[in-house]
Amino acid sequence: MLAVVPPPVTVRVPAKVNLHLSVDDLREDGYHELVTVFQALSLTDEVTVAVTEEPGIEVYGEGEGTVPTGPENLAWRAVEALASHVGRTEEPKVRVVLRKGIPVAGGMAGGSADAAATLVGLASLWGLDVTRDELAEIAAGLGSDVPFALYGGTALGTGRGEQLVPVLSRHTFHWVLAFAAEGLSTPKVFGELDRLRAAGNPPRIGSHTPVVEALASGDPRQLALLLGNDLQAAAVSLRPDLRRTLRAGVNAGALAGTVSGSGPTCAFLCEDAQSAVEVAAELSGAGVCRTVRVAHGPVPGARVVGGDDAPRPAPPRVHA
Ligand SMILES: C[C@@](CO)(OP(=O)(O)O)[C@H](O)COP(=O)(O)OP(=O)(O)OC[C@H]1O[C@@H](n2ccc(N)nc2=O)[C@H](O)[C@@H]1O
Ligand SMILES: Nc1ncnc2c1ncn2[C@@H]1O[C@H](COP(=O)(O)OP(=O)(O)O)[C@@H](O)[C@H]1O
């Protein structure tokens, strides 16, 4: 009898920006307790999973040629974690193709997004009866940011960022993203924050409550005043040129700018869609970053997209 091979499954998955990221002291397990407000953005990766006789990973777009294609790729770790969760002991006969729009080591959780998308895609490819909450437990074992990429939207993250509750966000917010020429390592940025705190007492951002209220009000001007990130000082300490990028975005007309997560991507909140296009055009001429993109949020988390031949909307892009 002929075995039926299921068709490939493609999943679209968003990047995140941290609207608020307060970092507490280092825990004994090597992580920092944190409180963050995540927002999922229309800047996405697409992940296709297919049954194959030649298992492995292919990477196109951002990070092509530098992102590992072996077992250390977070998407492959997701394949192994899901296989082990459902008791598949043989080597998974799966090919994973990553089409990346999210900058690598950019503080926008691109690797986490790929892992989340792989879990969703494989659950569909293998016809598994698993809930998103079950996938979120596997996701948390792969990285602190992976569960958020499953759910998307706007959410409050606590613990090491993996414990999530949704946050009401009444508005579509418009962003301009400035990608840097080179990424920053997340552990190095946390380490730099520990060093800065040991050497002095850098100011800490306050409570997340005003940010949650601004999101409910839907007023980008109110939200702009409240963007905050304890890792920003550490990212800027490692990459002093980020100061120039942050200044340039505001000079170009953004309401406010912040380093996204551990950086080095800078995210600029704009008044509306039109303003975002104008800010992006001006920023791309300022020579302060590699590439500029516009995006909006919140958007949903990892989702299967129509048949594998379905047309893919190109992300809006402005080249520096
Ligand atoms: C900083 C944040 C903010 O959303 O995002 P990125 O900037 O990386 O996108 C996250 O906390 C990153 O999450 P993620 O990238 O999944 O990190 P993980 O793989 O879990 O951890 C990588 C390393 O970062 C440090 N780490 C991470 C999370 C945390 N709460 N405390 C930490 O100290 C630890 O050194 C850890 O070994
Ligand atoms: N699928 C993947 N996409 C991007 N980076 C990956 C992936 N798998 C492993 N990595 C490694 O993880 C590191 C962090 O990447 P990424 O998740 O893009 O950044 P960040 O943690 O800053 O959001 C990269 O330096 C890369 O070598």
Side-chain angles (χ1 to χ4, degrees), residues 193-214:
L193 180 63
D194 294 339
R195 195 190 66 76
L196 292 175
R197 284 178 172 173
N201 206 1
R204 297 184 186 223
I205 62 167
S207 153
H208 63 279
T209 311
V211 173
V212 171
E213 287 166 359

Side-chain angles (χ1 to χ4, degrees), residues 67-68 72-74 98 100 103-112 114 186 262:
V67 167
E72 65 277 39
N73 192 297
L74 218 46
L98 308 178
K100 293 185 65 66
V104 173
M108 302 204 75
S112 304
D114 298 341
T186 299
S262 58

Side-chain angles (χ1 to χ4, degrees), residues 16 24 45-46 72 89 110 125 155 230-231 236 300:
K16 60 82 185 165
D24 212 332
D45 281 0
E46 277 189 12
E72 65 277 39
T89 48
L125 188 77
D230 277 339
L231 289 179
V236 170

Side-chain angles (χ1 to χ4, degrees), residues 6-12 46-51 95-99 121 124-125 303-313:
V9 177
T10 295
V11 176
R12 186 172 301 133
E46 277 189 12
V47 177
T48 300
V49 292
V51 172
R95 188 122 203 113
V96 183
V97 178
L98 308 178
R99 294 185 191 87
S124 166
L125 188 77
R303 288 288 147 99
V304 173
V305 294
D308 208 41
D309 295 327
R312 297 191 181 89

